[in-house]
Amino acid sequence: IAAGVVDVSGTVLASVRRPTPSQDPAQVEALVAEAVKELRANHDVASVGIGAAGWVDASRKTVLFAPNLAWRNTPLYDDLSRLLDIPVVVENDANAAAWGEYRFGAGEQHPDTVVLTIGTGIGAGLIIDGKLRRGRFGIGGEPGHMRVVPGGRQCGCGNLGCFEQYSSGTALVRAAREIARERPADAARLLELAGGNADEINGPIVTRAAQEGDAAAIDCFEEIGRWLGQGIADLAAILDPGRFVIGGGVVAAGELLLRPARDNYAAVLSGRGYRPLADIVAASLGPDAGMIGAADLARLS
């Protein structure tokens, strides 16, 4: 849980962090309230924006479902309003991050921008005609759960073969661990960094090895980058944005991820050669994007 005081220019003035108890929604709410109260002790705060890692309904009051947390029809707005004597706005975390990047980051206020956050899964926010688009029921912008491989890998949403099972931090680590188990000689550097245990390979280890030039780690980024480019091409066919902003922890690898994504996007885009290509750029606000976007949405509400 990251909480911060954000001014009108999108600058984070102060912040605190708490570990997330993923299986206890009430404890998450209590820790959010605790973090807000700590920050309010030293700052004049007008409202609180919450970037929630789940599907938020159209009224922006209830978290309907969270693939990686225990929220199921959780009345987050009501609960936090009881805990905090200050106006609260609840938004999907990827939507909040997208708004932050659009307003203050790599979106540079391009009116048609798609922001993809590549982390444990894939989150997204859609900025169309300068407005955040949530869909009729509030849960639009979830391309991580497009099924790209029918009958493929099990996803936390309950379906098989979702996009985020092939292009995410989870997919990156899975690919690296498979190489380490099946071809340990090829994964020597990965295993060295993981203390000889394939199960200890994580995203930062794969990123470090790839940045050092390790072929196996680079192959892992090539694989998820190609899937990312395919997904971007599919989104372009529907939305036709001018810019894709790629954020989340995996983008720390920079061009190791973005180059294969751009290459495959250009190779599979419908009507390629007869239409403009959208920009594909790295996010610029880092892990603070959601915090900044949620705060700005609260200020504007």
Side-chain angles (χ1 to χ4, degrees), residues 103-131:
R103 288 272 289 155
F104 306 109
E108 296 178 335
Q109 301 202 29
H110 283 246
D112 296 286
T113 296
V114 173
V115 180
L116 297 173
T117 54
I118 314 298
T120 302
I122 296 178
L126 312 178
I127 310 297
I128 306 297
D129 292 333
K131 298 179 180 178

Side-chain angles (χ1 to χ4, degrees), residues 153 169-191 194 196-206 214 216-217 219-221 223-224:
R153 296 169 180 162
T170 301
L172 177 74
V173 171
R174 180 191 295 117
R177 289 177 178 177
E178 286 177 358
I179 293 172
R181 294 187 185 109
E182 297 171 8
R183 307 195 314 272
D186 292 340
R189 182 55 178 157
L190 289 167
L191 285 166
N197 185 351
D199 291 337
E200 295 299 317
I201 295 173
N202 57 27
I205 283 176
V206 184
D214 180 75
D219 282 348
C220 294
F221 276 105
E223 178 181 340
I224 70 164

Side-chain angles (χ1 to χ4, degrees), residues 12-271:
V12 179
L13 305 177
S15 63
V16 297
R17 291 182 178 272
R18 301 281 190 277
T20 304
S22 62
Q23 300 307 311
D24 189 341
Q27 191 177 358
V28 171
E29 293 165 359
L31 288 172
V32 168
E34 176 187 297
V36 171
K37 289 174 181 176
E38 179 180 334
L39 291 166
R40 288 183 71 191
N42 297 306
H43 297 272
D44 182 16
V45 176
S47 56
V48 177
I50 305 294
W55 299 350
V56 179
D57 72 348
S59 69
R60 293 196 284 173
K61 291 188 174 182
T62 301
V63 182
L64 301 171
F65 175 73
N68 300 304
L69 293 170
W71 284 332
R72 301 291 186 272
N73 288 312
T74 301
L76 190 61
Y77 171 85
D78 291 340
D79 291 348
L80 289 175
S81 293
R82 282 194 295 269
L83 293 169
L84 299 167
D85 58 338
I86 189 171
V88 173
V89 170
V90 176
E91 184 58 79
N92 169 266
D93 62 337
N95 282 351
W99 187 255
E101 287 290 345
Y102 166 68
R103 288 272 289 155
F104 306 109
E108 296 178 335
Q109 301 202 29
H110 283 246
D112 296 286
T113 296
V114 173
V115 180
L116 297 173
T117 54
I118 314 298
T120 302
I122 296 178
L126 312 178
I127 310 297
I128 306 297
D129 292 333
K131 298 179 180 178
L132 181 60
R133 299 299 184 182
R134 302 179 179 89
R136 171 63 182 84
F137 303 108
I139 53 178
E142 290 289 346
H145 300 287
M146 301 186 299
R147 278 181 280 182
V148 297
V149 180
R153 296 169 180 162
Q154 179 72 52
C155 182
C157 75
N159 285 327
L160 301 175
C162 290
F163 179 29
E164 69 177 39
Q165 294 304 310
Y166 299 87
S167 184
S168 63
T170 301
L172 177 74
V173 171
R174 180 191 295 117
R177 289 177 178 177
E178 286 177 358
I179 293 172
R181 294 187 185 109
E182 297 171 8
R183 307 195 314 272
D186 292 340
R189 182 55 178 157
L190 289 167
L191 285 166
E192 180 184 3
L193 292 171
N197 185 351
D199 291 337
E200 295 299 317
I201 295 173
N202 57 27
I205 283 176
V206 184
T207 300
R208 177 178 170 184
Q211 290 171 336
E212 292 175 355
D214 180 75
I218 290 172
D219 282 348
C220 294
F221 276 105
E222 289 278 346
E223 178 181 340
I224 70 164
R226 286 192 296 271
W227 278 110
L228 178 57
Q230 177 67 63
I232 289 173
D234 292 343
L235 289 169
I238 300 167
L239 299 170
D240 190 31
R243 175 166 291 197
F244 287 91
V245 176
I246 313 302
V250 179
V251 83
E255 290 300 308
L256 289 167
L257 174 70
L258 296 178
R259 183 194 53 74
R262 291 191 193 103
D263 288 349
N264 203 38
Y265 159 70
V268 302
L269 179 65
S270 57

